[in-house]
Amino acid sequence: MAKDRAQVDYTGPLRRLVLAVLVLVLAGIFLLWRIDSPRVERFRAQVTDTIVPNMDWAMAPITGTINLARDFQSYRRIAEQNTELRRELRQMQAWKEAALQLEQENARLLDLNNVRLDPRLTYITGVVLADSGSPFRQSVLLNVGARDGIVEGWATMDGIGLVGRISGVAQNTARVILATDASSRIPAIIQPSGQKTIVAGDNSAAPPLDFLENRELVRPGDRVVTSGDGGVFPAGLLIGQVAADPGGRLRVRLAADYERLEFLRVLRHYGNEPVSDTNDVLQPAALLAPEVSE
């Protein structure tokens, strides 16, 4: 117990001694830094040059914390910019899609305007609203009808070739039977051989050629145009080109783009005026009138 009492007696004075020394050192440093003397100033400078560079380890946590805060602020700004850029990118993608659709529609309209037709034919352009969606009936619906003067039987074309004919007319819409439909029969002529034929739809993308007069005169790649026989279709409308299937049967590779029917041109065609009096054709009635003598 005596030893424990001695240890307790030395602990208190030792603490007070250390505290007194620390106070004296701090007071000496304070006075040293307050003395205005060139010699003391040089001493202070030497102490600063000696101690401060070796205190980088003590400033490292503070410097790291400051850099971490700056990096966090920079990351937050980058995240905000990234979010804004993503939003603008989505808007640009929507605009791009709209621009592509407008470009395609413009190309279709330009194709329609580039088709060379008989100057006696007039036309009206309609937008394709829907198709039949059936493998047994090939047809589309247009947004023009009786109010626009549409008549059943008129031919329709896309930007390149014949598409079909009007088969039903309502007040505001019209149904178009495509040339690929099984009920479609189009009188045609093959150029340059001049062979007449029938383009018979069979619900396939390449309808066959029926009733050829001389098959030997027809070659793949020959042009197929409407002949005008029957008065349903005007003469000279491009249908497509002759092609041979694997079985050797001649078919028509249609010129119209049936995969992308967006606009159709409806041709106003009232048919050819029938001849009722052949005498008027052979010799005008004015020449048959007797001359009046004076």
Side-chain angles (χ1 to χ4, degrees):
M1 295 183 62
K3 185 183 292 185
D4 295 339
R5 195 180 299 111
Q7 289 178 355
V8 173
D9 293 339
Y10 283 112
T11 302
L14 183 59
R15 290 179 179 177
R16 288 191 292 272
L17 179 61
V18 172
L19 182 60
V21 172
L22 181 60
V23 172
L24 291 176
V25 171
L26 293 176
I29 294 174
F30 176 76
L31 294 175
L32 181 63
W33 245 253
R34 296 294 295 177
I35 296 174
D36 188 10
S37 171
R39 184 175 299 177
V40 176
E41 181 65 27
R42 287 194 298 268
F43 176 74
R44 288 198 298 262
Q46 292 177 358
V47 172
T48 301
D49 293 340
T50 303
I51 297 177
V52 172
N54 296 327
M55 295 296 289
D56 291 340
W57 61 271
M59 298 297 296
I62 300 176
T63 305
T65 303
I66 295 175
N67 293 334
L68 183 63
R70 291 177 178 174
D71 293 341
F72 178 75
Q73 293 177 354
S74 177
Y75 173 77
R76 187 176 61 182
R77 289 195 298 268
I78 292 175
E80 293 175 353
Q81 292 176 358
N82 189 24
T83 303
E84 182 66 22
L85 290 175
R86 288 178 181 273
R87 183 166 55 252
E88 292 181 358
L89 180 60
R90 287 193 296 268
Q91 293 177 354
M92 292 299 296
Q93 288 176 345
W95 282 109
K96 179 182 178 182
E97 184 65 25
L100 289 176
Q101 293 178 359
L102 290 175
E103 183 179 3
Q104 293 175 357
E105 291 182 0
N106 187 39
R108 295 290 180 273
L109 291 174
L110 289 176
D111 288 339
L112 287 177
N113 290 330
N114 289 332
V115 176
R116 290 186 176 88
L117 299 173
D118 190 335
R120 293 173 297 179
L121 294 175
T122 59
Y123 60 87
I124 180 172
T125 301
V127 178
V128 176
L129 299 178
D131 57 26
S132 61
S134 171
F136 305 104
R137 182 174 176 83
Q138 304 287 326
S139 64
V140 295
L141 192 67
L142 295 182
N143 68 338
V144 291
R147 65 175 183 180
D148 304 294
I150 302 299
V151 175
E152 188 169 349
W154 282 356
T156 60
M157 300 184 67
D158 73 343
I160 302 177
L162 182 70
V163 172
R165 60 180 174 83
I166 301 294
S167 65
V169 180
Q171 185 64 25
N172 301 319
T173 58
R175 175 70 62 179
V176 178
I177 291 294
L178 304 182
T180 56
D181 188 81
S183 63
S184 174
R185 298 293 185 270
I186 304 175
I189 187 170
I190 301 175
Q191 298 174 344
S193 63
Q195 294 291 308
K196 291 187 176 182
T197 183
I198 297 293
V199 179
D202 61 350
N203 291 332
S204 68
L209 296 175
D210 290 342
F211 305 108
L212 272 173
E213 297 176 357
N214 190 348
R215 190 181 187 282
E216 300 299 327
L217 298 179
V218 179
R219 298 289 183 270
D222 290 349
R223 285 168 53 89
V224 182
V225 298
T226 56
S227 64
D229 295 340
V232 177
F233 295 97
L237 301 181
L238 177 64
I239 301 176
Q241 293 181 333
V242 176
D245 62 12
R249 187 177 185 183
L250 295 181
R251 293 179 175 270
V252 179
R253 184 183 298 110
L254 297 174
D257 188 359
Y258 282 75
E259 297 296 329
R260 295 182 296 177
L261 293 179
E262 297 182 6
F263 302 94
L264 291 183
R265 173 181 288 181
V266 182
L267 305 182
R268 295 187 178 97
H269 175 59
Y270 298 97
N272 299 322
E273 184 179 353
V275 178
S276 58
D277 190 354
T278 57
N279 291 328
D280 290 342
V281 176
L282 298 176
Q283 189 172 5
L287 298 180
L288 296 177
E291 296 182 359
V292 179
S293 59
E294 296 180 357

